[in-house]
Amino acid sequence: MRKELRTILWLGLLLGGLILAILVGWHQVRTASTTASSAKVIEQGRQVYADQCASCHGAQLEGQPDWKTPLPSGRLPAPPHDAGGHTWHHPDDILFRIVKEGTAAIVGGGYESDMPGFADVLGDAEIQAVLAYIKSTWPERERGYQKEVSRRD
């Protein structure tokens, strides 16, 4: 009986170790795949940003000069998307809608903005990629804050 118990215990440990090894390996493959996928999305977003956004928001995400001071038209200049701006204060769903529908459509109440909606130019995946690229440039503190704001929304 003791020998059978030892054999069962040994097989249980062996099986448990095998399952653990499979799970760890799967997690590593999944993490590597996610990292590669994320890098691809960020690179796509960088290119879309350069093509569609940089002319107003700056090649380095710096925004237009005096972006907090209204222009003669009463509209605000394009804000920066780097850590010095306010983009990271907004949750993901609002950022997505601003890019897709335009600022005026989101703010409402007759608010006027030079920021158009890109629904006819960019697909949802491209908008998500642009946002991923912008977020990838923020320091950890801003990324963490924005992630938390998005979680609450």
Side-chain angles (χ1 to χ4, degrees):
M1 183 71 169
R2 286 178 76 124
K3 188 175 182 181
E4 288 175 5
L5 187 57
R6 235 184 306 175
T7 303
I8 291 172
L9 183 59
W10 178 248
L11 287 173
L13 287 172
L14 188 61
L15 183 60
L18 181 61
I19 290 171
L20 182 62
I22 290 169
L23 290 175
V24 167
W26 175 79
H27 176 71
Q28 288 174 342
V29 167
R30 186 169 177 237
T31 300
S33 174
T34 301
T35 301
S37 175
S38 295
K40 225 170 148 178
V41 168
I42 289 169
E43 177 53 30
Q44 177 193 15
R46 185 197 65 72
Q47 187 59 55
V48 172
Y49 180 89
D51 294 345
Q52 301 294 330
C53 312
S55 61
C56 293
H57 292 280
Q60 304 302 313
L61 295 94
E62 72 275 12
Q64 294 177 338
D66 300 320
W67 62 276
K68 293 180 181 179
T69 304
L71 299 167
S73 67
R75 297 176 180 182
L76 290 170
H81 290 311
D82 60 13
H86 62 80
T87 306
W88 56 272
H89 294 162
H90 301 296
D92 287 336
D93 64 324
I94 296 297
L95 295 176
F96 182 87
R97 289 183 58 214
I98 287 171
V99 176
K100 187 167 185 156
E101 301 169 35
T103 305
I106 303 310
V107 174
Y111 181 82
E112 293 185 11
S113 173
D114 290 329
M115 170 67 184
F118 284 82
D120 294 337
V121 178
L122 301 175
D124 289 358
E126 290 171 305
I127 294 171
Q128 294 289 3
V130 167
L131 295 173
Y133 163 67
I134 291 170
K135 291 181 204 180
S136 77
T137 69
W138 298 337
E140 184 59 39
R141 182 179 139 251
E142 285 75 5
R143 281 195 314 264
Y145 177 88
Q146 197 275 333
K147 192 174 192 176
E148 183 59 34
V149 168
S150 295
R151 205 175 290 149
R152 285 188 240 144
D153 195 39

